[in-house]
Amino acid sequence: MRFNKHMIDLLREIRRRVPSHQKPSIKLANPELIDELFLAYEQSRDSICQLLIREFIEQNRSLGKPLRENPSTQHGIIMEKEARAVEATAEKVARPKRVYRGQVVEA
C-alpha cells in the first residue's frame, strides 16, 4: 500500500482517537490495516474518528487501491463493475478502426 502525507496524518489522528486496545493493530506496516479500520469504524462512537476513517478509506480508493468490502455491499460493487464493462465494450464497438500504413490502429 502506498501512502501520501495526508493519509499518514489521517492515520496518526485516527490512532490517537481510537481506544487503547485497538492502537497496536492500526499501523502503517499492518497489511490488514483496512480491515482493522473497518472494525474501528463500526465500534467507534466518536463521530470525528468515524469521519477520519471514512476520509482515509476514500483517499485509499482515490489512489486506486482495492478494498475489501462488506458482503452486503459487494453485490452493488459487482453490478457497478459489470455496468462499466458493458459500457467499455459498447465504446470499443462504436469506434471505427483506423488504418495507418496498412496496419489497423485503435482510435
Side-chain angles (χ1 to χ4, degrees):
M1 210 184 276
R2 298 182 76 181
F3 300 105
N4 56 26
K5 175 144 177 42
H6 181 65
M7 291 175 72
I8 293 170
D9 292 339
L10 281 173
L11 198 61
R12 280 185 186 159
E13 187 65 24
I14 291 168
R15 189 175 157 91
R16 191 175 74 78
R17 289 183 170 272
V18 296
S20 61
H21 68 277
Q22 290 179 331
K23 286 184 183 184
S25 63
I26 298 179
K27 294 181 180 178
L28 290 172
N30 186 359
E32 302 295 324
L33 176 64
I34 299 299
D35 294 333
E36 296 295 331
L37 287 175
F38 274 126
L39 288 174
Y41 180 82
E42 292 171 353
Q43 295 173 357
S44 177
R45 292 190 177 128
D46 182 11
S47 61
I48 295 173
C49 184
Q50 288 179 339
L51 180 68
L52 292 170
I53 292 171
R54 190 179 312 139
E55 186 175 345
F56 181 86
I57 291 172
E58 289 300 319
Q59 283 284 323
N60 193 32
R61 284 186 183 167
S62 69
L63 292 176
K65 304 294 181 195
L67 287 178
R68 295 184 188 107
E69 296 290 335
N70 294 335
S72 61
T73 60
Q74 280 186 351
H75 181 68
I77 293 171
I78 292 170
M79 296 296 286
E80 221 174 273
K81 287 180 182 178
E82 288 176 1
R84 284 189 209 144
V86 169
E87 289 174 6
T89 56
E91 185 177 315
K92 286 182 182 179
V93 172
R95 291 184 187 169
K97 292 188 178 181
R98 294 178 19 190
V99 178
Y100 179 73
R101 294 190 178 185
Q103 294 187 359
V104 177
V105 178
E106 303 257 358

